[in-house]
Amino acid sequence: MYCYYYYCYHSIRLWKPSLPIATMDSVSSLSPPQVPMELHRKNRQKLLDSLRQHLSHSDRLLHGFVLLQGGEEKTRDDTDHLELFRQESFFAYLFGVKEPGFYGAIDISSGDSILFAPRLPDEYAVWLGEIKPLSYFKEHYKVDAACFMDEISSVLQQRHKGLGAPLLFLLHGLNTDSNNFSKPADFEGIDMFDKDLTTLHPILAECRVIKTDLEIALIQYANDISSEAHVEVMRKAKVGMKEYQLESMFLHHTYMYGGCRHCSYTCICATGENSSVLHYGHAAAPNDKTLEDGDIALLDMGAEYHFYGSDITCSFPINGKFTSDQSLIYNAVLDAHKAVITAMKPGVCWVDMHILAEKVILESLKTGHVLVGEVEEMMSARLGAIFMPHGLGHFLGIDTHDVGGYPKGLERIKEPGLKSLRTARKLQEGMVITVEPGCYFIDALLHPAMNSPKTSQFFNQQEINRFNGFGGVRIESDVVVTASGCYNMTKCPREIQEIEAVMAGAPWPAKKTSN
């Protein structure tokens, strides 16, 4: 199965016309691949097949139009400063359009795809460049027709072959990670159409859950350049630097060598006690601490390329050498990481993988005398959620927290830790999911647990006090489920000896020695 994905990845990289980006001090053998629009044609066909099947099973006619509205450029507050545009994810999935202001339609009867472009003013050519003709969008994005946005109503009316008003399948549904609803398309003249707001979202979200070979190839590329960048940061991190310098090195590498203008999410560059703040790096905690000798670093950073992302976390000691306490916690997390990836295969429930990770970490903490008592009793008391309050992982694709985690009928578990799982599904071939166990010493969770009659007996009070201000460790890789198991797309050093060697200047990937 590895060979299959390796072939897909290198197939997509063969579509590149340019030479690798390199300089005299180049530290990358990668170059941005040209992406075939066949990727999005396949996504449209997958949706069309699924939607037609649903309509047939529901004894509904196979007619109407899927209509999506792409994203709009936004200005910063009341100024004319345009924020860097990134396409709305569902629209990006189906059409791959990088420009703002577009609509896209799929004719369910014929299967034809239509792009609707904004009609740009003449001044656009002065300030923003060439005004491309409709023929460019038709050819570049490999759709069957391209029209102007103000023609949506007339074009769809002309294509309608049934009786009565044409039917529009509009995108409206709940994102179970954000609890926000997707925005249905709206345009002048929509009142002349019948509208279905319930059918499209669950079907399209489910299409995004299982990745095609070309999607996996892009996620692999994002992983390769991000893994490479993590290694560069690991090599260059030094006592006395600032956390934001680590973030800057990562962003520079993925953009300079990988062509990744966007990051998948705001970088988390946490050191020392900051590494116990799960979503550190936001505006109120902006990656600005000075790196100190003895700090553990937790760097959660992933590049995005042509909408598809990566999500990778590396943890390592700033001074390049693990202490015994750092080794204890790091190996606890690494053992959980390995155990989950070894157990992953189609049919395995993700909740069971989370529980496995918790158990391995608790067993390690008991072996290290941080905890005492029976691990099964700790599990029953949900002690694992004190040390790993987040979920084990999430779907990854066009969004970092990709859609489809909780389809209709699948309920979120209410227990501590488990309630944070972003999916409770059984694994299927073609899913891409992060595996990110962690172990943190979070005062807001530890102090109540150490004083609770339900859990206080599990803590070795004298030993655990050594970890005040320790922070935490997370190890995160992006994993694709295969027919018989899974494949880890992330290529960072993970073993303690590998990390220490890389930080001391050893090559990565490590050179194989002959017997």
Side-chain angles (χ1 to χ4, degrees):
M1 185 55 68
Y2 165 75
C3 294
Y4 172 69
Y5 288 122
Y6 182 86
Y7 168 77
C8 293
Y9 169 52
H10 283 275
S11 293
I12 201 170
R13 286 183 53 75
L14 288 176
W15 277 302
K16 62 180 191 296
S18 58
L19 294 172
I21 293 176
T23 63
M24 290 298 290
D25 61 344
S26 175
V27 288
S28 178
S29 60
L30 300 171
S31 60
Q34 183 175 321
V35 181
M37 287 300 114
E38 173 71 6
L39 183 155
H40 301 286
R41 190 200 65 78
K42 282 188 173 184
N43 291 348
R44 292 194 295 273
Q45 189 61 50
K46 184 195 289 190
L47 170 64
L48 190 60
D49 292 343
S50 298
L51 187 53
R52 284 173 172 173
Q53 183 180 48
H54 172 83
L55 294 175
S56 294
H57 288 170
S58 305
D59 294 323
R60 296 174 64 182
L61 297 176
L62 302 183
H63 72 80
F65 303 91
V66 170
L67 183 68
L68 267 68
Q69 182 174 355
E72 299 284 348
E73 280 187 312
K74 297 177 181 178
T75 59
R76 180 184 295 173
D77 302 321
D78 62 347
T79 74
D80 62 354
H81 170 81
L82 285 171
E83 303 285 0
L84 180 61
F85 175 73
R86 197 271 193 184
Q87 187 60 266
E88 192 277 329
S89 293
F90 282 105
F91 195 81
Y93 175 79
L94 289 179
F95 295 99
V97 173
K98 65 179 183 292
E99 296 91 346
F102 275 67
Y103 288 71
I106 303 172
D107 188 331
I108 294 171
S109 177
S110 68
D112 287 351
S113 54
I114 313 159
L115 277 178
F116 295 95
R119 204 182 284 271
L120 301 173
D122 293 341
E123 290 81 1
Y124 183 100
V126 176
W127 296 99
L128 296 171
E130 177 190 3
I131 298 176
K132 296 181 175 68
L134 292 176
S135 58
Y136 167 84
F137 299 114
K138 179 178 181 294
E139 174 60 27
H140 182 74
Y141 292 116
K142 305 302 180 190
V143 292
D144 298 293
C147 307
F148 285 114
M149 192 177 70
D150 52 23
E151 299 174 321
I152 294 175
S153 181
S154 60
V155 168
L156 296 187
Q157 291 280 358
Q158 290 169 11
R159 284 177 168 265
H160 175 55
K161 296 181 173 59
L163 300 175
L167 176 62
L168 298 180
F169 291 92
L170 303 178
L171 190 68
H172 182 67
L174 180 68
N175 184 308
T176 56
D177 284 312
S178 65
N179 284 323
N180 294 327
F181 282 87
S182 54
K183 176 186 175 183
D186 191 23
F187 62 93
E188 187 173 346
I190 196 171
D191 292 340
M192 301 169 62
F193 294 79
D194 290 334
K195 294 173 281 293
D196 182 322
L197 290 168
T198 60
T199 299
L200 179 60
H201 187 272
I203 294 174
L204 184 50
E206 193 65 20
C207 288
R208 284 176 57 182
V209 169
I210 306 299
K211 271 60 178 180
T212 65
D213 52 357
L214 291 175
E215 289 181 288
I216 291 171
L218 276 184
I219 298 170
Q220 180 66 71
Y221 174 74
N223 262 268
D224 284 348
I225 193 64
S226 296
S227 296
E228 200 176 72
H230 269 283
V231 171
E232 282 301 299
V233 174
M234 199 177 289
R235 290 189 200 283
K236 295 175 180 177
K238 296 289 185 292
V239 172
M241 297 177 70
K242 291 286 191 178
E243 291 167 337
Y244 56 71
Q245 291 178 285
L246 308 185
E247 177 180 16
S248 176
M249 284 188 274
F250 179 88
L251 296 175
H252 169 75
H253 189 96
T254 55
Y255 198 1
M256 175 74 179
Y257 300 105
C260 300
R261 195 175 193 187
H262 291 275
C263 217
S264 296
Y265 49 92
T266 302
C267 291
I268 298 170
C269 294
T271 61
E273 61 186 0
N274 291 337
S275 57
S276 67
V277 180
L278 300 181
H279 283 171
Y280 184 75
H282 56 87
N287 294 332
D288 61 355
K289 177 182 177 294
T290 301
L291 280 53
E292 299 177 17
D293 194 10
D295 278 353
I296 194 86
L298 186 160
L299 306 187
D300 188 338
M301 305 180 289
E304 174 184 299
Y305 186 76
H306 189 72
F307 312 120
Y308 286 86
S310 57
D311 188 356
I312 299 171
T313 306
C314 295
S315 298
F316 57 89
I318 287 300
N319 63 16
K321 289 290 184 180
F322 283 85
T323 66
S324 58
D325 283 346
Q326 289 171 345
S327 296
L328 169 63
I329 304 306
Y330 185 87
N331 279 329
V333 177
L334 181 60
D335 288 347
H337 183 266
K338 291 178 182 176
V340 169
I341 290 177
T342 299
M344 285 174 62
K345 62 181 180 180
V348 168
C349 180
W350 193 240
V351 177
D352 294 338
M353 295 295 93
H354 180 100
I355 292 170
L356 172 62
E358 281 188 345
K359 186 174 183 181
V360 171
I361 290 170
L362 292 175
E363 287 172 343
S364 296
L365 294 178
K366 179 183 176 181
T367 300
H369 309 294
V370 177
L371 300 177
V372 294
E374 297 300 320
V375 171
E376 291 301 329
E377 293 179 11
M378 298 178 198
M379 296 290 291
S380 297
R382 297 302 306 132
L383 196 68
I386 304 301
F387 294 96
M388 189 175 80
H390 60 72
L392 174 65
H394 49 81
F395 291 143
L396 174 74
I398 280 188
D399 287 313
T400 307
H401 299 154
D402 221 14
V403 294
Y406 287 92
K408 186 177 180 181
L410 185 63
E411 297 297 323
R412 193 180 290 267
I413 299 170
K414 300 295 193 293
E415 296 181 46
L418 299 175
K419 67 183 180 182
S420 297
L421 279 167
R422 295 183 185 274
T423 186
R425 294 177 62 151
K426 290 184 178 180
L427 298 179
Q428 297 173 252
E429 182 180 4
M431 286 179 171
V432 175
I433 195 164
T434 65
V435 176
E436 50 180 302
C439 182
Y440 316 88
F441 294 85
I442 304 170
D443 290 345
L445 296 176
L446 273 175
H447 291 167
M450 291 168 67
N451 292 303
S452 168
K454 184 180 177 182
T455 53
S456 60
Q457 70 271 22
F458 298 121
F459 293 94
N460 184 335
Q461 302 283 350
Q462 184 175 356
E463 294 294 319
I464 203 167
N465 286 337
R466 298 202 318 270
F467 294 91
N468 288 338
F470 178 92
V473 167
R474 180 163 65 251
I475 300 172
E476 180 179 15
S477 298
D478 302 337
V479 178
V480 58
V481 182
T482 64
S484 58
C486 67
Y487 174 67
N488 186 352
M489 294 188 281
T490 303
K491 306 301 178 191
C492 295
R494 295 304 195 191
E495 300 291 342
I496 284 179
Q497 62 270 28
E498 293 175 341
I499 293 170
E500 290 184 342
V502 164
M503 295 187 74
W508 183 261
K511 292 181 179 179
K512 295 181 180 179
T513 57
S514 57
N515 294 329

